[in-house]
Amino acid sequence: MKDSTLSAPAHQITAPQDSAEIDLTELIRTLWRGKFWIALCVFIAIVLGGYYAFFKAVPVYTSSAVVMLESRQEQVVDLESVMTGLSGDQATINTEVEVIRSRGLIEKLVNKLNLMEDPEFNPALRPPRVFSPGRIINQVREMISGEPTAVRQPHERESLDAVIDSVINTISIINLRQSYVFEITAATKDREKSAAIANTLASLYILEQIEVKFAATEQATEWLSERVGQLQVELETAVAKVKEFNSGTALISPEALVGLNRQLKETRDRLREAQQSKATATARMAELEAVQATGTPEEIAEVANDTTLTRILRVMEDGNRKAFDTRFSQVLERAQLDVTRADSQITALESSIKTQDAQIERQSADLVRLQQLEREAEASRLIYEYFLNRLKETSIQQGIQQADSRVLSQAVVPLRPSSPRKPLILALSMVLGLLIGAAIVLIREFAQNTYRVAEDLEAKTGYSVLGQIPAIPARKRKNVLKYLSDKPTSAAAEAIRNLRTSVLLSNLDQPPKIIMSTSSIPGEGKTTQSIALTQNLARMDKKVLLIEGDMRRRIFAEYFDIKDRKGLISVLSGDVEFSNAVIREPALQADLLIAEKTTTNPADVFSTERFRSFLDNMREKYDYIIIDTPPVLAVPDARVIGQCVDAIIYTVKWDSTSQRQVLEGLRAFESVNVRVAGLVLAQISASGMKRYGYGDSYGAYSSYYDS
């Protein structure tokens, strides 16, 4: 055994991780490999699309009428309409589109064209389908219950609603961008019907506008007539109240009230003057009475300021004051008379002021009431005149209503159907076939969990592939060596030679002498590969020993006639000599040491020092020793034997062994510090490679199969 086999592995196996990046080159290669499936899907899709377009699809004829919204309307008379025209903004245009699609307008269309009697729109007039869901459900119910299911007949309104829904689905209204133009399109199975529906709907839409305006005007006229009558009664009542008020009150006017106010002001001015005069007279009288009591004649004459009294004072003799006193008394009486007269005048003026105030207050209230009644009458008159004028204008407008739209072009009867569009259907079928085919190829590729090419095997495991062995076309295992001998230039024989070369050159410093062959699970071709490699090495005039290391299955008996022969266990136990147990197989041209059935666990046998010593002895006798071991995932034998060999060949069955099984098997060797020399992709199917699109990758062997 070489020390290199016990060294730590060169790398660690990790499960493949999905990359976030997409390799476009690999994606294109994958699609190219699946070109047959893609072409088949395209062909099937085109056939189905062609059958639908040319045989199955019902021709549909499309016809369009063009309606334009009138943004400017001619005014016959300069009167304000009850309903104004459309503004022409985007919201109004969108609203008109929905008006054309409204169920009320479509119902008029259905009734005018009698579409209730058309089977294309009325499902009740169509013959029942054999495989309709409703019919199948009724039949199932009848089978379960054993009684016939009563078929519910739809009401007349339900049938009408169903026809309206069908008509709406066949009609489309489009507003041409940046314009006031609507395109009303109808698509039916009859060319004339399509044109009739489009033209009729356009006419009904325009007539609907006129009818709506006429109805609105008529309703406004009725309302205005009733309102004018009410306003006339209100006006007459208001005028009568004014007349009645005028007849029950004195004649008043704003001018007269202003005169009364002016007169009141003058009276108040006179009252203030009278009060001042009274104050002056009272003060004079008080002054005269005061001077009379204490003053001298000269002082009295000065205060009295009376010419006669002054003259009497000049001629008056001493002691003779009779004339003076008489005159002063007259002056004092006159002062008292002035006070009395002022009092009388003040009283009279105050009474006059009260009278004038009452008169002004009364007339002001009457004037306010009169003005209020007059304003109410005037307001009623204005409202009445406005409504009367509006009634007359509305009555005149009933005969001059105009639609807000007009038909720009009538729908014409189409010459050819608008659908099915056969070239488009075929093109879409081809695209759909491409997509489906590509999806099938990619899904199959992404779902693939096995190995088909050496590059993939190397990329996923990190180990190099030493050989690619095609499936040997031998029905029985005994014919394998005969096939390789009879056809030395076959693809299988050449693959074995390539494997031999790769194994021997895997370590130039220490060429391997003991080679172990194993796999993940049974049935991967490792035994056939071991026998073929032994035969190939023996033909190089090398002394080769083939050891059967699978003591559980012992399938060498299916390849060679070796019944009732001693084998490895007898040699290791010392029951027989190696020379008596070894078998010289002529077809193999090498020595063969078979396995024997034993009650001891084979892994324990291979773990003994006796087995190691046996291999060391065989190393001296033979040029090469090939050991065929059990699968590594089934039993631990391969990992135990792997500690004693120079090179391990790990066999992977083409398109069969899962990636997880391979990775777990390789990881099992690494867990015991055993290095695998390389991998072998075995039992490759040439036809399978071509089917998967890898024919170019396996083209080196195709010529041998052809020959």
Side-chain angles (χ1 to χ4, degrees):
M1 181 186 66
K2 304 270 182 87
D3 294 337
S4 59
T5 59
L6 298 176
S7 61
H11 58 275
Q12 296 293 328
I13 296 295
T14 58
Q17 298 179 353
D18 296 334
S19 176
E21 298 181 357
I22 298 177
D23 190 346
L24 294 179
T25 304
E26 185 61 28
L27 181 63
I28 294 173
R29 288 177 180 174
T30 301
L31 294 176
W32 178 252
R33 288 195 299 267
K35 55 185 177 293
F36 170 77
W37 293 105
I38 296 176
L40 179 61
C41 291
V42 170
F43 174 75
I44 295 174
I46 291 177
V47 170
L48 294 177
Y51 171 74
Y52 171 78
F54 290 94
F55 302 102
K56 189 68 175 176
V58 178
V60 176
Y61 297 88
T62 302
S63 185
S64 300
V66 180
V67 176
M68 185 180 72
L69 189 67
E70 291 284 4
S71 59
R72 299 186 302 270
Q73 291 189 353
E74 181 181 355
Q75 296 290 336
V76 179
V77 292
D78 189 13
L79 298 177
E80 183 181 358
S81 300
V82 175
M83 290 189 66
T84 60
L86 300 177
S87 61
D89 57 2
Q90 190 59 45
T92 301
I93 292 174
N94 295 338
T95 303
E96 292 305 303
V97 170
E98 295 303 320
V99 168
I100 300 175
R101 290 176 52 87
S102 63
R103 296 185 66 87
L105 199 60
I106 300 301
E107 182 175 351
K108 293 181 180 180
L109 173 66
V110 170
N111 294 330
K112 186 169 184 178
L113 297 181
N114 196 22
L115 298 180
M116 285 290 294
E117 304 300 327
D118 192 339
E120 182 178 354
F121 300 108
N122 193 347
L125 301 179
R126 303 171 192 165
R129 292 183 296 178
V130 178
F131 298 103
S132 62
R135 187 171 184 180
I136 294 175
I137 292 174
N138 291 334
Q139 291 177 353
V140 172
R141 287 178 179 174
E142 292 177 1
M143 292 174 60
I144 295 175
S145 62
E147 298 179 357
T149 303
V151 180
R152 177 181 174 273
Q153 297 296 331
H155 297 294
E156 182 178 355
R157 185 64 211 182
E158 292 179 351
S159 300
L160 178 59
D161 289 338
V163 173
I164 291 174
D165 292 336
S166 299
V167 174
I168 290 176
N169 292 332
T170 61
I171 294 174
S172 63
I173 295 91
I174 301 175
N175 168 235
L176 300 184
R177 193 174 183 84
Q178 303 296 330
S179 70
Y180 298 119
V181 176
F182 302 106
E183 188 177 67
I184 302 175
T185 303
T188 67
K189 300 177 182 178
D190 184 86
R191 62 183 72 195
E192 295 180 355
K193 188 194 303 181
S194 299
I197 289 177
N199 288 328
T200 304
L201 184 58
S203 301
L204 289 175
Y205 168 63
I206 294 175
L207 182 61
E208 174 84 1
Q209 291 181 338
I210 298 176
E211 290 178 350
V212 169
K213 286 189 176 183
F214 184 83
T217 304
E218 185 177 9
Q219 183 179 3
T221 302
E222 294 177 358
W223 182 82
L224 287 172
S225 299
E226 181 180 356
R227 188 60 182 152
V228 166
Q230 295 175 356
L231 291 175
Q232 184 178 2
V233 173
E234 294 177 2
L235 176 60
E236 292 174 353
T237 302
V239 173
K241 288 182 179 180
V242 173
K243 291 181 179 180
E244 182 181 357
F245 186 80
N246 281 330
S247 63
T249 57
L251 182 62
I252 57 176
S253 66
E255 293 79 7
L257 188 60
V258 171
L260 289 176
N261 286 325
R262 187 182 301 110
Q263 184 179 358
L264 177 61
K265 181 178 181 301
E266 292 175 354
T267 303
R268 287 175 176 171
D269 291 342
R270 289 171 59 192
L271 176 61
R272 284 193 296 271
E273 292 176 356
Q275 290 173 346
Q276 290 177 358
S277 299
K278 177 183 177 182
T280 302
T282 303
R284 181 174 175 76
M285 185 179 68
E287 185 180 10
L288 290 175
E289 290 177 349
V291 77
Q292 181 183 12
T294 60
T296 61
E298 289 80 6
E299 292 175 350
I300 293 173
E302 184 180 0
V303 172
N305 194 21
D306 182 74
T307 305
T308 303
L309 187 62
T310 303
R311 189 172 55 248
I312 292 174
L313 178 63
R314 289 177 186 159
V315 296
M316 179 181 69
E317 294 180 358
D318 296 336
N320 189 10
R321 294 184 56 181
K322 184 177 181 179
F324 183 82
D325 292 335
T326 302
R327 181 60 184 172
F328 182 76
S329 297
Q330 294 175 352
V331 171
L332 184 59
E333 290 176 358
R334 190 171 59 227
Q336 291 176 348
L337 182 62
D338 290 338
V339 173
T340 302
R341 189 183 303 114
D343 287 335
S344 300
Q345 186 177 5
I346 289 172
T347 302
L349 289 174
E350 289 178 348
S351 176
S352 177
I353 288 173
K354 290 180 179 179
T355 303
Q356 289 177 355
D357 282 337
Q359 184 179 4
I360 290 173
E361 184 178 359
R362 184 178 64 256
Q363 291 193 6
S364 296
D366 292 341
L367 181 61
V368 170
R369 178 60 179 164
L370 177 62
Q371 288 177 344
Q372 181 179 359
L373 293 176
E374 288 178 347
R375 284 195 298 269
E376 291 178 356
E378 181 64 18
S380 298
R381 183 186 65 79
L382 293 176
I383 295 175
Y384 170 74
E385 291 178 354
Y386 173 78
F387 274 82
L388 182 61
N389 292 333
R390 194 72 183 120
L391 173 61
K392 293 180 179 180
E393 292 177 358
T394 306
S395 300
I396 294 173
Q397 289 176 0
Q398 284 185 336
I400 58 173
Q401 293 295 342
Q402 292 177 295
D404 294 320
S405 304
R406 65 184 177 90
V407 177
L408 198 60
S409 63
Q410 292 282 343
V412 297
V413 178
L415 299 179
R416 58 182 62 87
S418 58
S419 66
R421 300 171 64 180
K422 298 174 183 178
L424 180 60
I425 291 177
L426 294 178
L428 292 178
S429 299
M430 182 180 68
V431 173
L432 182 61
L434 284 172
L435 294 177
I436 294 176
I440 291 175
V441 171
L442 293 177
I443 291 173
R444 188 183 64 173
E445 186 69 21
F446 293 151
Q448 186 260 338
N449 192 31
T450 59
Y451 297 101
R452 296 173 184 165
V453 291
E455 293 84 354
D456 191 18
L457 182 57
E458 289 180 344
K460 295 293 178 61
T461 62
Y463 285 89
S464 61
V465 176
L466 300 178
Q468 301 180 58
I469 311 299
I472 299 177
R475 294 186 178 181
K476 297 182 179 180
R477 292 181 174 178
K478 291 183 178 182
N479 297 332
V480 171
L481 292 177
K482 184 176 183 302
Y483 177 84
L484 295 175
S485 300
D486 295 342
K487 296 183 178 181
T489 59
S490 63
E494 293 293 344
I496 295 298
R497 293 189 188 95
N498 289 334
L499 174 61
R500 177 202 68 197
T501 304
S502 300
V503 172
L504 297 181
L505 297 179
S506 61
N507 192 342
L508 296 177
D509 296 332
Q510 295 178 345
K513 295 190 66 174
I514 302 177
I515 303 170
M516 185 185 84
S517 177
T518 188
S519 63
S520 302
I521 56 177
E524 295 195 65
K526 60 176 181 56
T527 302
T528 301
Q529 174 185 293
S530 300
I531 295 173
L533 184 60
T534 301
Q535 183 193 51
N536 194 274
L537 289 171
R539 288 187 176 183
M540 296 174 60
D541 295 331
K542 300 294 184 180
K543 193 174 181 179
V544 184
L545 173 63
L546 175 61
I547 300 176
E548 184 179 17
D550 191 350
M551 296 183 181
R552 294 173 176 83
R553 299 184 63 187
R554 304 186 306 280
I555 61 174
F556 273 19
E558 298 180 13
Y559 292 88
F560 310 103
D561 187 11
I562 51 175
K563 295 180 180 179
D564 300 329
R565 298 295 300 267
K566 297 296 183 179
L568 180 61
I569 295 298
S570 298
V571 173
L572 294 179
S573 63
D575 294 341
V576 296
E577 294 292 332
F578 171 74
S579 59
N580 295 328
V582 70
I583 302 171
R584 183 67 180 181
E585 181 61 38
L588 191 64
Q589 299 181 7
D591 291 343
L592 178 64
L593 183 62
I594 65 173
E596 295 177 276
K597 187 176 182 179
T598 178
T599 57
T600 306
N601 189 288
D604 296 337
V605 175
F606 296 131
S607 299
T608 62
E609 186 64 30
R610 186 177 301 175
F611 177 72
R612 295 174 182 268
S613 300
F614 169 75
L615 289 183
D616 291 339
N617 294 331
M618 294 301 105
R619 188 187 295 272
E620 301 296 331
K621 294 181 180 181
Y622 291 93
D623 296 322
Y624 299 103
I625 301 171
I626 309 296
I627 304 177
D628 180 49
T629 63
V632 66
L633 296 181
V635 292
D637 301 5
R639 288 187 291 170
V640 176
I641 298 174
Q643 306 286 335
C644 307
V645 302
D646 299 332
I648 298 175
I649 302 175
Y650 197 97
T651 303
V652 178
K653 185 176 180 180
W654 178 85
D655 198 27
S656 176
T657 310
S658 68
Q659 297 178 5
R660 181 178 178 182
Q661 290 172 334
V662 175
L663 295 176
E664 288 182 355
L666 294 174
R667 193 177 291 110
F669 280 115
E670 290 187 350
S671 66
V672 294
N673 292 329
V674 174
R675 179 178 180 275
V676 175
L679 309 177
V680 176
L681 191 60
Q683 301 190 42
I684 300 174
S685 172
S687 60
M689 293 288 283
K690 292 180 180 179
R691 183 173 66 253
Y692 288 127
Y694 295 104
D696 53 345
S697 300
Y698 204 65
Y701 300 109
S702 61
S703 60
Y704 293 94
Y705 282 107
D706 294 339
S707 61

